[in-house]
PDB file of all heavy atoms in Angstrom:
ATOM      1  N   VAL A   1       8.426   4.823 -23.199  1.00 94.00           N
ATOM      2  CA  VAL A   1       7.204   4.634 -23.988  1.00 94.00           C
ATOM      3  C   VAL A   1       7.465   4.908 -25.465  1.00 94.00           C
ATOM      4  O   VAL A   1       6.887   4.257 -26.349  1.00 94.00           O
ATOM      5  CB  VAL A   1       6.063   5.542 -23.464  1.00 94.00           C
ATOM      6  CG1 VAL A   1       4.858   5.481 -24.384  1.00 94.00           C
ATOM      7  CG2 VAL A   1       5.666   5.123 -22.056  1.00 94.00           C
ATOM      8  N   GLU A   2       8.348   5.841 -25.745  1.00 93.00           N
ATOM      9  CA  GLU A   2       8.655   6.203 -27.130  1.00 93.00           C
ATOM     10  C   GLU A   2       9.664   5.247 -27.772  1.00 93.00           C
ATOM     11  O   GLU A   2       9.873   5.304 -28.988  1.00 93.00           O
ATOM     12  CB  GLU A   2       9.222   7.625 -27.177  1.00 93.00           C
ATOM     13  CG  GLU A   2       8.280   8.677 -26.603  1.00 93.00           C
ATOM     14  CD  GLU A   2       8.955  10.032 -26.479  1.00 93.00           C
ATOM     15  OE1 GLU A   2      10.171  10.109 -26.763  1.00 93.00           O
ATOM     16  OE2 GLU A   2       8.282  10.997 -26.103  1.00 93.00           O
ATOM     17  N   LYS A   3      10.261   4.378 -26.964  1.00 94.00           N
ATOM     18  CA  LYS A   3      11.354   3.541 -27.463  1.00 94.00           C
ATOM     19  C   LYS A   3      10.940   2.120 -27.825  1.00 94.00           C
ATOM     20  O   LYS A   3      11.698   1.406 -28.496  1.00 94.00           O
ATOM     21  CB  LYS A   3      12.473   3.478 -26.415  1.00 94.00           C
ATOM     22  CG  LYS A   3      13.094   4.837 -26.092  1.00 94.00           C
ATOM     23  CD  LYS A   3      13.826   5.409 -27.291  1.00 94.00           C
ATOM     24  CE  LYS A   3      14.527   6.723 -26.955  1.00 94.00           C
ATOM     25  NZ  LYS A   3      15.261   7.268 -28.109  1.00 94.00           N
ATOM     26  N   VAL A   4       9.771   1.666 -27.348  1.00 96.00           N
ATOM     27  CA  VAL A   4       9.347   0.294 -27.621  1.00 96.00           C
ATOM     28  C   VAL A   4       7.987   0.297 -28.321  1.00 96.00           C
ATOM     29  O   VAL A   4       7.199   1.238 -28.164  1.00 96.00           O
ATOM     30  CB  VAL A   4       9.275  -0.544 -26.330  1.00 96.00           C
ATOM     31  CG1 VAL A   4      10.655  -0.719 -25.716  1.00 96.00           C
ATOM     32  CG2 VAL A   4       8.308   0.068 -25.318  1.00 96.00           C
ATOM     33  N   PRO A   5       7.687  -0.771 -29.088  1.00 96.00           N
ATOM     34  CA  PRO A   5       6.383  -0.849 -29.758  1.00 96.00           C
ATOM     35  C   PRO A   5       5.230  -0.890 -28.756  1.00 96.00           C
ATOM     36  O   PRO A   5       5.410  -1.216 -27.581  1.00 96.00           O
ATOM     37  CB  PRO A   5       6.476  -2.179 -30.530  1.00 96.00           C
ATOM     38  CG  PRO A   5       7.933  -2.455 -30.670  1.00 96.00           C
ATOM     39  CD  PRO A   5       8.571  -1.897 -29.424  1.00 96.00           C
ATOM     40  N   GLU A   6       4.024  -0.580 -29.250  1.00 97.00           N
ATOM     41  CA  GLU A   6       2.852  -0.508 -28.382  1.00 97.00           C
ATOM     42  C   GLU A   6       2.492  -1.845 -27.757  1.00 97.00           C
ATOM     43  O   GLU A   6       1.841  -1.882 -26.705  1.00 97.00           O
ATOM     44  CB  GLU A   6       1.660   0.031 -29.170  1.00 97.00           C
ATOM     45  CG  GLU A   6       1.801   1.488 -29.577  1.00 97.00           C
ATOM     46  CD  GLU A   6       0.571   2.016 -30.286  1.00 97.00           C
ATOM     47  OE1 GLU A   6      -0.363   1.215 -30.530  1.00 97.00           O
ATOM     48  OE2 GLU A   6       0.531   3.219 -30.603  1.00 97.00           O
ATOM     49  N   HIS A   7       2.888  -2.947 -28.382  1.00 98.00           N
ATOM     50  CA  HIS A   7       2.532  -4.254 -27.818  1.00 98.00           C
ATOM     51  C   HIS A   7       3.503  -4.698 -26.718  1.00 98.00           C
ATOM     52  O   HIS A   7       3.275  -5.740 -26.092  1.00 98.00           O
ATOM     53  CB  HIS A   7       2.441  -5.330 -28.912  1.00 98.00           C
ATOM     54  CG  HIS A   7       3.713  -5.556 -29.666  1.00 98.00           C
ATOM     55  ND1 HIS A   7       4.067  -4.814 -30.764  1.00 98.00           N
ATOM     56  CD2 HIS A   7       4.725  -6.456 -29.485  1.00 98.00           C
ATOM     57  CE1 HIS A   7       5.225  -5.240 -31.239  1.00 98.00           C
ATOM     58  NE2 HIS A   7       5.655  -6.232 -30.472  1.00 98.00           N
ATOM     59  N   TRP A   8       4.549  -3.954 -26.478  1.00 98.00           N
ATOM     60  CA  TRP A   8       5.478  -4.295 -25.402  1.00 98.00           C
ATOM     61  C   TRP A   8       4.951  -3.794 -24.059  1.00 98.00           C
ATOM     62  O   TRP A   8       4.452  -2.677 -23.948  1.00 98.00           O
ATOM     63  CB  TRP A   8       6.840  -3.666 -25.658  1.00 98.00           C
ATOM     64  CG  TRP A   8       7.737  -4.480 -26.552  1.00 98.00           C
ATOM     65  CD1 TRP A   8       7.442  -4.935 -27.804  1.00 98.00           C
ATOM     66  CD2 TRP A   8       9.063  -4.929 -26.256  1.00 98.00           C
ATOM     67  NE1 TRP A   8       8.498  -5.643 -28.317  1.00 98.00           N
ATOM     68  CE2 TRP A   8       9.507  -5.651 -27.396  1.00 98.00           C
ATOM     69  CE3 TRP A   8       9.911  -4.781 -25.165  1.00 98.00           C
ATOM     70  CZ2 TRP A   8      10.772  -6.237 -27.444  1.00 98.00           C
ATOM     71  CZ3 TRP A   8      11.170  -5.355 -25.219  1.00 98.00           C
ATOM     72  CH2 TRP A   8      11.593  -6.088 -26.339  1.00 98.00           C
ATOM     73  N   GLY A   9       5.111  -4.627 -23.026  1.00 97.00           N
ATOM     74  CA  GLY A   9       4.813  -4.189 -21.674  1.00 97.00           C
ATOM     75  C   GLY A   9       5.979  -3.406 -21.100  1.00 97.00           C
ATOM     76  O   GLY A   9       7.120  -3.565 -21.546  1.00 97.00           O
ATOM     77  N   ILE A  10       5.693  -2.575 -20.105  1.00 97.00           N
ATOM     78  CA  ILE A  10       6.721  -1.743 -19.483  1.00 97.00           C
ATOM     79  C   ILE A  10       6.643  -1.869 -17.970  1.00 97.00           C
ATOM     80  O   ILE A  10       5.568  -1.690 -17.378  1.00 97.00           O
ATOM     81  CB  ILE A  10       6.559  -0.266 -19.878  1.00 97.00           C
ATOM     82  CG1 ILE A  10       6.675  -0.090 -21.399  1.00 97.00           C
ATOM     83  CG2 ILE A  10       7.590   0.609 -19.175  1.00 97.00           C
ATOM     84  CD1 ILE A  10       6.308   1.310 -21.885  1.00 97.00           C
ATOM     85  N   ILE A  11       7.763  -2.179 -17.347  1.00 96.00           N
ATOM     86  CA  ILE A  11       7.880  -2.217 -15.888  1.00 96.00           C
ATOM     87  C   ILE A  11       8.964  -1.232 -15.482  1.00 96.00           C
ATOM     88  O   ILE A  11      10.071  -1.263 -16.034  1.00 96.00           O
ATOM     89  CB  ILE A  11       8.231  -3.629 -15.383  1.00 96.00           C
ATOM     90  CG1 ILE A  11       7.105  -4.616 -15.715  1.00 96.00           C
ATOM     91  CG2 ILE A  11       8.474  -3.614 -13.872  1.00 96.00           C
ATOM     92  CD1 ILE A  11       7.436  -6.061 -15.353  1.00 96.00           C
ATOM     93  N   THR A  12       8.652  -0.356 -14.547  1.00 94.00           N
ATOM     94  CA  THR A  12       9.657   0.580 -14.047  1.00 94.00           C
ATOM     95  C   THR A  12      10.166   0.089 -12.693  1.00 94.00           C
ATOM     96  O   THR A  12       9.451  -0.597 -11.953  1.00 94.00           O
ATOM     97  CB  THR A  12       9.087   2.003 -13.903  1.00 94.00           C
ATOM     98  OG1 THR A  12       7.990   1.987 -12.981  1.00 94.00           O
ATOM     99  CG2 THR A  12       8.604   2.519 -15.248  1.00 94.00           C
ATOM    100  N   VAL A  13      11.397   0.463 -12.374  1.00 93.00           N
ATOM    101  CA  VAL A  13      12.004   0.010 -11.122  1.00 93.00           C
ATOM    102  C   VAL A  13      12.776   1.165 -10.488  1.00 93.00           C
ATOM    103  O   VAL A  13      13.447   1.938 -11.174  1.00 93.00           O
ATOM    104  CB  VAL A  13      12.933  -1.214 -11.361  1.00 93.00           C
ATOM    105  CG1 VAL A  13      13.956  -0.924 -12.445  1.00 93.00           C
ATOM    106  CG2 VAL A  13      13.630  -1.633 -10.084  1.00 93.00           C
ATOM    107  N   GLU A  14      12.650   1.293  -9.190  1.00 90.00           N
ATOM    108  CA  GLU A  14      13.365   2.321  -8.439  1.00 90.00           C
ATOM    109  C   GLU A  14      13.580   1.832  -7.015  1.00 90.00           C
ATOM    110  O   GLU A  14      12.997   0.824  -6.591  1.00 90.00           O
ATOM    111  CB  GLU A  14      12.577   3.630  -8.432  1.00 90.00           C
ATOM    112  CG  GLU A  14      11.213   3.519  -7.772  1.00 90.00           C
ATOM    113  CD  GLU A  14      10.431   4.824  -7.848  1.00 90.00           C
ATOM    114  OE1 GLU A  14      11.000   5.818  -8.302  1.00 90.00           O
ATOM    115  OE2 GLU A  14       9.262   4.825  -7.429  1.00 90.00           O
ATOM    116  N   VAL A  15      14.414   2.540  -6.288  1.00 86.00           N
ATOM    117  CA  VAL A  15      14.640   2.210  -4.882  1.00 86.00           C
ATOM    118  C   VAL A  15      13.754   3.104  -4.029  1.00 86.00           C
ATOM    119  O   VAL A  15      13.785   4.329  -4.143  1.00 86.00           O
ATOM    120  CB  VAL A  15      16.116   2.401  -4.491  1.00 86.00           C
ATOM    121  CG1 VAL A  15      16.302   2.152  -2.994  1.00 86.00           C
ATOM    122  CG2 VAL A  15      17.005   1.465  -5.293  1.00 86.00           C
ATOM    123  N   GLU A  16      12.956   2.480  -3.171  1.00 84.00           N
ATOM    124  CA  GLU A  16      12.074   3.220  -2.279  1.00 84.00           C
ATOM    125  C   GLU A  16      12.208   2.656  -0.873  1.00 84.00           C
ATOM    126  O   GLU A  16      12.034   1.459  -0.650  1.00 84.00           O
ATOM    127  CB  GLU A  16      10.618   3.103  -2.751  1.00 84.00           C
ATOM    128  CG  GLU A  16       9.654   3.981  -1.971  1.00 84.00           C
ATOM    129  CD  GLU A  16       8.277   4.014  -2.602  1.00 84.00           C
ATOM    130  OE1 GLU A  16       8.182   4.066  -3.833  1.00 84.00           O
ATOM    131  OE2 GLU A  16       7.299   3.982  -1.831  1.00 84.00           O
ATOM    132  N   ASP A  17      12.546   3.530   0.067  1.00 80.00           N
ATOM    133  CA  ASP A  17      12.769   3.102   1.460  1.00 80.00           C
ATOM    134  C   ASP A  17      13.792   1.976   1.549  1.00 80.00           C
ATOM    135  O   ASP A  17      13.648   1.027   2.333  1.00 80.00           O
ATOM    136  CB  ASP A  17      11.454   2.646   2.108  1.00 80.00           C
ATOM    137  CG  ASP A  17      10.438   3.771   2.192  1.00 80.00           C
ATOM    138  OD1 ASP A  17      10.858   4.935   2.362  1.00 80.00           O
ATOM    139  OD2 ASP A  17       9.231   3.491   2.085  1.00 80.00           O
ATOM    140  N   GLY A  18      14.817   2.077   0.728  1.00 80.00           N
ATOM    141  CA  GLY A  18      15.897   1.100   0.765  1.00 80.00           C
ATOM    142  C   GLY A  18      15.602  -0.216   0.062  1.00 80.00           C
ATOM    143  O   GLY A  18      16.442  -1.113   0.066  1.00 80.00           O
ATOM    144  N   LYS A  19      14.424  -0.342  -0.562  1.00 88.00           N
ATOM    145  CA  LYS A  19      14.053  -1.576  -1.247  1.00 88.00           C
ATOM    146  C   LYS A  19      13.807  -1.309  -2.728  1.00 88.00           C
ATOM    147  O   LYS A  19      13.369  -0.234  -3.112  1.00 88.00           O
ATOM    148  CB  LYS A  19      12.793  -2.183  -0.612  1.00 88.00           C
ATOM    149  CG  LYS A  19      12.984  -2.629   0.834  1.00 88.00           C
ATOM    150  CD  LYS A  19      11.712  -3.269   1.368  1.00 88.00           C
ATOM    151  CE  LYS A  19      11.893  -3.740   2.802  1.00 88.00           C
ATOM    152  NZ  LYS A  19      10.636  -4.358   3.338  1.00 88.00           N
ATOM    153  N   VAL A  20      14.077  -2.326  -3.542  1.00 90.00           N
ATOM    154  CA  VAL A  20      13.820  -2.222  -4.976  1.00 90.00           C
ATOM    155  C   VAL A  20      12.327  -2.379  -5.201  1.00 90.00           C
ATOM    156  O   VAL A  20      11.715  -3.375  -4.784  1.00 90.00           O
ATOM    157  CB  VAL A  20      14.601  -3.299  -5.756  1.00 90.00           C
ATOM    158  CG1 VAL A  20      14.301  -3.188  -7.252  1.00 90.00           C
ATOM    159  CG2 VAL A  20      16.097  -3.158  -5.510  1.00 90.00           C
ATOM    160  N   ASP A  21      11.726  -1.393  -5.854  1.00 91.00           N
ATOM    161  CA  ASP A  21      10.280  -1.366  -6.020  1.00 91.00           C
ATOM    162  C   ASP A  21       9.931  -1.344  -7.516  1.00 91.00           C
ATOM    163  O   ASP A  21      10.535  -0.606  -8.288  1.00 91.00           O
ATOM    164  CB  ASP A  21       9.699  -0.123  -5.334  1.00 91.00           C
ATOM    165  CG  ASP A  21       8.191  -0.121  -5.345  1.00 91.00           C
ATOM    166  OD1 ASP A  21       7.595  -1.099  -4.854  1.00 91.00           O
ATOM    167  OD2 ASP A  21       7.604   0.853  -5.854  1.00 91.00           O
ATOM    168  N   PHE A  22       8.939  -2.144  -7.903  1.00 94.00           N
ATOM    169  CA  PHE A  22       8.537  -2.263  -9.301  1.00 94.00           C
ATOM    170  C   PHE A  22       7.117  -1.750  -9.498  1.00 94.00           C
ATOM    171  O   PHE A  22       6.272  -1.851  -8.618  1.00 94.00           O
ATOM    172  CB  PHE A  22       8.594  -3.724  -9.770  1.00 94.00           C
ATOM    173  CG  PHE A  22       9.982  -4.303  -9.746  1.00 94.00           C
ATOM    174  CD1 PHE A  22      10.455  -4.963  -8.620  1.00 94.00           C
ATOM    175  CD2 PHE A  22      10.818  -4.203 -10.846  1.00 94.00           C
ATOM    176  CE1 PHE A  22      11.723  -5.502  -8.589  1.00 94.00           C
ATOM    177  CE2 PHE A  22      12.099  -4.736 -10.826  1.00 94.00           C
ATOM    178  CZ  PHE A  22      12.552  -5.387  -9.689  1.00 94.00           C
ATOM    179  N   TYR A  23       6.878  -1.236 -10.701  1.00 94.00           N
ATOM    180  CA  TYR A  23       5.536  -0.785 -11.058  1.00 94.00           C
ATOM    181  C   TYR A  23       5.280  -1.142 -12.523  1.00 94.00           C
ATOM    182  O   TYR A  23       6.094  -0.802 -13.402  1.00 94.00           O
ATOM    183  CB  TYR A  23       5.394   0.728 -10.874  1.00 94.00           C
ATOM    184  CG  TYR A  23       4.081   1.275 -11.377  1.00 94.00           C
ATOM    185  CD1 TYR A  23       2.890   1.028 -10.695  1.00 94.00           C
ATOM    186  CD2 TYR A  23       4.025   2.039 -12.549  1.00 94.00           C
ATOM    187  CE1 TYR A  23       1.678   1.517 -11.164  1.00 94.00           C
ATOM    188  CE2 TYR A  23       2.823   2.537 -13.021  1.00 94.00           C
ATOM    189  CZ  TYR A  23       1.653   2.268 -12.320  1.00 94.00           C
ATOM    190  OH  TYR A  23       0.456   2.746 -12.776  1.00 94.00           O
ATOM    191  N   THR A  24       4.184  -1.844 -12.781  1.00 95.00           N
ATOM    192  CA  THR A  24       3.836  -2.197 -14.158  1.00 95.00           C
ATOM    193  C   THR A  24       3.124  -1.023 -14.803  1.00 95.00           C
ATOM    194  O   THR A  24       1.944  -0.765 -14.540  1.00 95.00           O
ATOM    195  CB  THR A  24       2.947  -3.454 -14.206  1.00 95.00           C
ATOM    196  OG1 THR A  24       3.651  -4.561 -13.620  1.00 95.00           O
ATOM    197  CG2 THR A  24       2.597  -3.807 -15.655  1.00 95.00           C
ATOM    198  N   LEU A  25       3.857  -0.322 -15.629  1.00 94.00           N
ATOM    199  CA  LEU A  25       3.305   0.844 -16.314  1.00 94.00           C
ATOM    200  C   LEU A  25       2.363   0.434 -17.441  1.00 94.00           C
ATOM    201  O   LEU A  25       1.349   1.092 -17.696  1.00 94.00           O
ATOM    202  CB  LEU A  25       4.452   1.684 -16.886  1.00 94.00           C
ATOM    203  CG  LEU A  25       4.078   2.972 -17.626  1.00 94.00           C
ATOM    204  CD1 LEU A  25       3.429   3.971 -16.659  1.00 94.00           C
ATOM    205  CD2 LEU A  25       5.326   3.586 -18.264  1.00 94.00           C
ATOM    206  N   ARG A  26       2.680  -0.681 -18.093  1.00 95.00           N
ATOM    207  CA  ARG A  26       1.847  -1.146 -19.203  1.00 95.00           C
ATOM    208  C   ARG A  26       1.995  -2.651 -19.368  1.00 95.00           C
ATOM    209  O   ARG A  26       3.108  -3.170 -19.387  1.00 95.00           O
ATOM    210  CB  ARG A  26       2.274  -0.431 -20.496  1.00 95.00           C
ATOM    211  CG  ARG A  26       1.376  -0.697 -21.678  1.00 95.00           C
ATOM    212  CD  ARG A  26       1.749   0.223 -22.828  1.00 95.00           C
ATOM    213  NE  ARG A  26       2.945  -0.211 -23.546  1.00 95.00           N
ATOM    214  CZ  ARG A  26       3.590   0.529 -24.439  1.00 95.00           C
ATOM    215  NH1 ARG A  26       3.172   1.759 -24.702  1.00 95.00           N
ATOM    216  NH2 ARG A  26       4.668   0.066 -25.071  1.00 95.00           N
ATOM    217  N   LEU A  27       0.880  -3.366 -19.451  1.00 97.00           N
ATOM    218  CA  LEU A  27       0.909  -4.799 -19.699  1.00 97.00           C
ATOM    219  C   LEU A  27       1.166  -5.067 -21.181  1.00 97.00           C
ATOM    220  O   LEU A  27       0.759  -4.278 -22.044  1.00 97.00           O
ATOM    221  CB  LEU A  27      -0.406  -5.443 -19.286  1.00 97.00           C
ATOM    222  CG  LEU A  27      -0.674  -5.546 -17.780  1.00 97.00           C
ATOM    223  CD1 LEU A  27      -2.114  -5.990 -17.526  1.00 97.00           C
ATOM    224  CD2 LEU A  27       0.312  -6.517 -17.126  1.00 97.00           C
ATOM    225  N   PRO A  28       1.830  -6.175 -21.491  1.00 97.00           N
ATOM    226  CA  PRO A  28       2.095  -6.467 -22.900  1.00 97.00           C
ATOM    227  C   PRO A  28       0.856  -7.000 -23.610  1.00 97.00           C
ATOM    228  O   PRO A  28      -0.009  -7.635 -23.000  1.00 97.00           O
ATOM    229  CB  PRO A  28       3.187  -7.537 -22.828  1.00 97.00           C
ATOM    230  CG  PRO A  28       2.910  -8.254 -21.544  1.00 97.00           C
ATOM    231  CD  PRO A  28       2.413  -7.195 -20.596  1.00 97.00           C
ATOM    232  N   LEU A  29       0.793  -6.742 -24.908  1.00 98.00           N
ATOM    233  CA  LEU A  29      -0.219  -7.338 -25.770  1.00 98.00           C
ATOM    234  C   LEU A  29       0.437  -8.472 -26.549  1.00 98.00           C
ATOM    235  O   LEU A  29       1.664  -8.557 -26.641  1.00 98.00           O
ATOM    236  CB  LEU A  29      -0.771  -6.290 -26.738  1.00 98.00           C
ATOM    237  CG  LEU A  29      -1.407  -5.047 -26.106  1.00 98.00           C
ATOM    238  CD1 LEU A  29      -1.806  -4.048 -27.196  1.00 98.00           C
ATOM    239  CD2 LEU A  29      -2.614  -5.429 -25.258  1.00 98.00           C
ATOM    240  N   ILE A  30      -0.391  -9.366 -27.107  1.00 97.00           N
ATOM    241  CA  ILE A  30       0.171 -10.465 -27.885  1.00 97.00           C
ATOM    242  C   ILE A  30       1.052  -9.904 -28.989  1.00 97.00           C
ATOM    243  O   ILE A  30       0.695  -8.940 -29.669  1.00 97.00           O
ATOM    244  CB  ILE A  30      -0.951 -11.358 -28.461  1.00 97.00           C
ATOM    245  CG1 ILE A  30      -0.373 -12.594 -29.139  1.00 97.00           C
ATOM    246  CG2 ILE A  30      -1.865 -10.589 -29.369  1.00 97.00           C
ATOM    247  CD1 ILE A  30       0.231 -13.592 -28.199  1.00 97.00           C
ATOM    248  N   ASN A  31       2.206 -10.493 -29.156  1.00 98.00           N
ATOM    249  CA  ASN A  31       3.188 -10.028 -30.140  1.00 98.00           C
ATOM    250  C   ASN A  31       2.753 -10.449 -31.543  1.00 98.00           C
ATOM    251  O   ASN A  31       2.675 -11.652 -31.835  1.00 98.00           O
ATOM    252  CB  ASN A  31       4.554 -10.636 -29.785  1.00 98.00           C
ATOM    253  CG  ASN A  31       5.605 -10.380 -30.830  1.00 98.00           C
ATOM    254  OD1 ASN A  31       5.484  -9.501 -31.664  1.00 98.00           O
ATOM    255  ND2 ASN A  31       6.664 -11.177 -30.775  1.00 98.00           N
ATOM    256  N   PRO A  32       2.475  -9.512 -32.429  1.00 97.00           N
ATOM    257  CA  PRO A  32       2.020  -9.865 -33.778  1.00 97.00           C
ATOM    258  C   PRO A  32       3.132 -10.370 -34.690  1.00 97.00           C
ATOM    259  O   PRO A  32       2.862 -10.857 -35.790  1.00 97.00           O
ATOM    260  CB  PRO A  32       1.452  -8.536 -34.311  1.00 97.00           C
ATOM    261  CG  PRO A  32       2.257  -7.488 -33.621  1.00 97.00           C
ATOM    262  CD  PRO A  32       2.534  -8.041 -32.247  1.00 97.00           C
TER     263      PRO A  32
END
């Protein structure tokens, strides 16, 4: 969160129960 601008979306990824799992932490805003 501290490394990208506020208009960038963030997706995290981890392995859960042997599968790659994604979570959208923040949706992107239009790039100014």
